[in-house]
Amino acid sequence: MIKIENVKKTYQVNKKPFVAINNVSLQVPDGKIVGIVGYSGAGKSSLIRTVNGLIIPDSGKVTIDGQVVNELSRKDLRRLCHKVGMVFQHFNLLSSYTVFNNVKLALKIGAKIELRQKINVIRREIKISNFNNQELAGQIYDLKKQLRGLYISYFKHFFSSTIKTQITTTKGQIAKLVQKFNDAETKSKVNKTINPEQIVKLKKEIKHLKKSYFNDLVNDALKLVGLTSKANKYPKALSGGEKQRVGIARAIVNKPKYLLCDEATSALDPSNANEIVAVLKKIKDERDLTILFISHQIEIVKNLCDTIIVMDKGEIVEKQDADSIFSNPIHAATKQIIKGIIFDGKITLVKDQKVYQVISHDDKNANIISRVAIKFNVPVTVHYTHTVSVNNKQITYYYVSFEDEKQEQKIIGFFKHSGLEVKNYVA
């Protein structure tokens, strides 16, 4: 889980303090897609960059799986970055590298712990292959490796007495095994199992493993973003959407647990932006990723995110699930952001005329206006209607007025009884 607690960040702009993040707290649950929206200068990008340590907050803390990001050393921060990928607004691809090599470069920079573990298994085989009693040799090898790790922790934690006790115990275990091993080797009449050809073969396996492991990860990432056929192309041959998909592949090639997207669709046209949304959904489902998505484009966020957070002037002003924020926005900034999506015009009112906003979340209510007109035998004026898709759910907005004021309350009651929301429209 990503946890942000009371984070504050201030910049100096024209020799004056500018508060970009003002005491912000939020949690991003594992396996969810959380979107943060707001106008330019709201503090969105500054906030997301505190998550992976690109920006260090002035106060507060950012925690990922129990690790406080803003307290980590540079070395530990690099390790943490293996589990946190990031997609930027600008693709920043190397023009002299193919798509495949652009993605592979990120993999080489973030050398995989998993690969090192596989290689260490093979090196262990080489190390113990010189002895008859390979089981005991392997145990000694593992304990010595453990001992090295304990010494590192001992100095790192300022000579901890607990770790010192563990070191003493491990040394004793090694001494006993070495004595037992020496006795067994002395008594053994079997020839030693040195096999130079086998060792050469194992060393070749290490070399092949490095190459194939990297290539397999790159191919998997390109397949996920739908660019397998473009692997050998250069960036100049790609569209904007394809370049951003390379950026996404580069961010996920290390198989991170978390993916941060900072205005990942802002430089794209609507068609390409929707393709990126589909790609991110696919990646989230197949790799069980947790995604934090920053954007000023509410029309993109609504089709991607489970939860939407609204930021304004460095603060979180609203947080709701995607469906609720479109049907019941609370803060003025939220209302302004979604207004362009649900209503792009202005209703001309007759003096003292009341107009209601009726919100339907169900396709079964598609003919609700005609049903009202027939049931109550009153004319219904529909000033404007618009349907918005939110995560594949249809929300329809009707702006209506009634000529018979005496039946207004009955009609409103009927709407509500049918599962619709009714609000007074304010121009």
Side-chain angles (χ1 to χ4, degrees), residues 49-277:
R49 288 164 191 247
T50 64
V51 176
N52 60 358
L54 289 179
I55 290 178
I56 303 300
D58 300 328
S59 60
K61 64 179 181 179
V62 180
T63 308
I64 296 180
D65 294 341
Q67 289 184 288
V68 182
V69 176
N70 45 310
E71 295 178 1
L72 293 176
S73 65
R74 290 183 67 183
K75 185 177 180 181
D76 289 336
L77 190 58
R78 284 197 299 270
R79 287 177 178 169
L80 179 71
C81 286
H82 289 308
K83 65 165 75 172
V84 183
M86 189 161 187
V87 182
F88 297 90
Q89 177 179 354
H90 301 292
F91 327 120
N92 296 322
L93 305 181
L94 296 179
S95 59
S96 60
Y97 277 40
T98 63
V99 166
F100 186 94
N101 287 329
N102 263 287
V103 177
K104 190 174 182 179
L105 181 64
L107 187 61
K108 285 182 177 179
I109 292 172
K112 288 295 291 182
I113 294 172
E114 186 181 342
L115 174 61
R116 288 200 296 271
Q117 289 173 342
K118 290 183 177 183
I119 290 174
N120 283 338
V121 170
I122 298 173
R123 284 177 176 158
R124 183 179 183 274
E125 288 184 51
I126 295 172
K127 190 79 174 177
I128 68 176
S129 65
N130 200 33
F131 305 104
N132 291 316
N133 198 324
Q134 293 186 10
E135 183 179 350
L136 280 174
Q139 291 176 21
I140 294 168
Y141 178 89
D142 293 338
L143 280 172
K144 284 184 176 180
K145 187 177 178 183
Q146 182 181 326
L147 185 62
R148 286 195 296 272
L150 285 171
Y151 270 118
I152 293 170
S153 297
Y154 180 59
F155 292 116
K156 186 176 179 181
H157 292 86
F158 303 102
F159 310 104
S160 163
S161 57
T162 304
I163 298 176
K164 186 177 181 180
T165 303
Q166 292 176 334
I167 288 173
T168 304
T169 303
T170 305
K171 279 183 172 179
Q173 292 174 334
I174 291 172
K176 287 179 182 179
L177 282 175
V178 167
Q179 183 61 48
K180 187 177 179 181
F181 173 79
N182 288 337
D183 291 344
E185 287 289 304
T186 303
K187 292 176 182 178
S188 177
K189 295 180 182 180
V190 181
N191 292 329
K192 289 185 176 181
T193 57
I194 296 175
N195 185 343
E197 291 182 2
Q198 180 66 13
I199 291 175
V200 170
K201 184 179 178 182
L202 287 170
K203 287 182 176 178
K204 284 183 177 179
E205 187 177 335
I206 289 176
K207 188 175 180 180
H208 174 72
L209 185 61
K210 287 180 178 179
K211 183 177 179 180
S212 63
Y213 185 81
F214 283 154
N215 289 351
D216 288 347
L217 285 178
V218 174
N219 286 326
D220 285 347
L222 290 176
K223 184 178 179 181
L224 263 179
V225 300
L227 288 179
T228 302
S229 62
K230 306 282 186 178
N232 295 318
K233 300 287 185 181
Y234 287 88
K236 65 181 181 181
L238 304 179
S239 67
E242 288 170 339
K243 288 177 182 177
Q244 189 59 289
R245 281 191 272 163
V246 177
I248 294 172
R250 186 175 53 193
I252 65 169
V253 71
N254 277 298
K255 293 190 174 179
K257 181 179 178 182
Y258 303 99
L259 184 63
L260 311 178
C261 299
D262 186 9
E263 298 283 5
T265 60
S266 297
L268 305 176
D269 60 52
S271 176
N272 281 320
N274 288 327
E275 285 183 9
I276 296 300
V277 167

Side-chain angles (χ1 to χ4, degrees), residues 339-367:
K339 188 176 181 180
I341 299 295
I342 65 174
F343 185 70
D344 57 3
K346 187 175 181 180
I347 297 172
T348 303
L349 301 178
V350 179
K351 185 179 180 181
D352 298 328
Q353 185 181 29
K354 289 183 181 179
V355 175
Y356 296 95
Q357 182 193 57
V358 182
I359 306 171
S360 170
H361 298 263
D362 198 329
D363 290 342
K364 290 187 295 184
N365 291 316
N367 62 346

